[in-house]
Amino acid sequence: MSASTTTAHAVDSITRGSVPRLTFARITRAEWIKTRSVRSSYWTAAATLAFTVLFAAGVLLLVSVAPAADVPDPAAVIVDSYGEAPGIGVAGFAFLFAYALVAVFGVLVVSTERSTGLLATTLAAVPRRTPVLAAKLVVSAVVGMAIGLIGAVASFLLVQPQLAALGLGSSLLDPDALQVLAGGTLFVGLIAVMSTAIASLFRGTAAALGAVLGLLVLAPTLIPIIPGIGGEIAGFLPSSAGMMLFQPATQVGWQPIVTGGLVLLGWTIGAVVVAGALFKRRDV
């Protein structure tokens, strides 16, 4: 082997060794860096946590400090509003109010990058589009679940002193509480993934938000007013069905929880499949 050939081989080896491999972990890390560098991500997360926690604390506080003439039995009012285990009910309400804002975050994961033109740079660096979309979905799911779980746990813990004073306190380690927290976390995670997948189909943020919030928030409100079949159709919408995931199994049973989870999972998988197919074919 000649000296020139040996040198060329060595240079080629050094060059190949100095360039980091484009792994899925690195792509996901890049998506996480981009997501956390956008102010809207922080504002959405902060607004979600603040809204859910303040709502949970505010309702119970108003009942607790209300004049005895107006609320002679605060414990009965709280049980009527939140069920036999009010702490679990508060956690469920936290997920109920958080999911719409988590959906907004899911949209921003992809729409902000597309509207600024950064997506073209990303796809130039990562020519294979499927890993890029998959990384966005992973980041959306993880952050969405974190927001929902933190909000629910914070709400649960925040109201415990008030509930304990009324003899209604409970533990975060109770089986029902763990089941509701796990189901609610899965719910907001799937909502985030589906929102990101749907948002990838649109070029504008406004159109993406309209489609996602229309499906998740507006449709469950309007469809039930259709005579005859409206109520049944609404039960198969993603948000309506998915809400069963954070209902206590001791109260509603496991069948509606599993059915609701499967319906939401089906919507999510469908959105991801369509998004993946079009994301690879469409121009940026």
Side-chain angles (χ1 to χ4, degrees):
M1 182 180 296
S2 65
S4 60
T5 304
T6 304
T7 302
H9 179 72
V11 170
D12 181 62
S13 299
I14 294 173
T15 303
R16 284 187 288 108
S18 64
V19 177
R21 289 198 310 125
L22 198 60
T23 64
F24 182 70
R26 288 194 171 104
I27 298 172
T28 304
R29 183 171 180 270
E31 292 300 328
W32 163 241
I33 292 172
K34 286 187 290 186
T35 299
R36 74 183 187 188
S37 66
V38 179
R39 289 184 180 180
S40 58
S41 299
Y42 291 96
W43 281 111
T44 304
T48 304
L49 295 175
F51 185 76
T52 55
V53 171
L54 290 177
F55 176 84
V59 171
L60 290 181
L61 180 61
L62 289 175
V63 173
S64 301
V65 302
D70 297 332
V71 185
D73 190 355
V77 173
I78 292 175
V79 169
D80 288 340
S81 301
Y82 294 100
E84 295 294 331
I88 296 175
V90 167
F93 270 100
F95 289 119
L96 178 64
F97 284 100
Y99 87 92
L101 291 174
V102 168
V104 172
F105 170 81
V107 170
L108 295 177
V109 167
V110 64
S111 64
T112 303
E113 186 179 11
R114 171 165 277 165
S115 63
T116 59
L118 181 60
L119 184 59
T121 304
T122 298
L123 296 179
V126 188
R128 294 181 59 196
R129 297 190 174 192
T130 299
V132 174
L133 179 60
K136 292 182 183 297
L137 296 176
V138 169
V139 171
S140 180
V142 171
V143 176
M145 288 190 294
I147 292 173
L149 181 60
I150 293 172
V153 171
S155 299
F156 182 93
L157 296 177
L158 187 63
V159 301
Q160 287 310 307
Q162 296 170 272
L163 294 178
L166 298 172
L168 299 172
S170 56
S171 171
L172 193 62
L173 299 179
D174 289 343
D176 279 352
L178 292 176
Q179 178 248 308
V180 167
L181 290 175
T185 302
L186 178 61
F187 168 71
V188 292
L190 290 175
I191 289 292
V193 170
M194 184 172 61
S195 301
T196 300
I198 294 175
S200 70
L201 304 176
F202 297 88
R203 297 186 184 278
T205 301
L209 283 172
V212 169
L213 295 180
L215 175 63
L216 297 178
V217 179
L218 190 60
T221 304
L222 297 180
I223 289 182
I225 67 177
I226 299 175
I229 62 173
E232 295 183 5
I233 295 175
F236 287 94
L237 293 173
S239 54
S240 301
M243 287 178 188
M244 294 305 302
L245 284 169
F246 51 84
Q247 304 301 315
T250 54
Q251 297 180 18
V252 302
W254 280 104
Q255 182 176 355
I257 295 175
V258 173
T259 301
L262 290 176
V263 170
L264 176 57
L265 181 62
W267 276 92
T268 305
I269 292 175
V272 170
V273 170
V274 173
L278 295 182
F279 194 74
K280 291 191 297 183
R281 298 177 182 178
R282 294 174 59 183
D283 293 335
V284 178

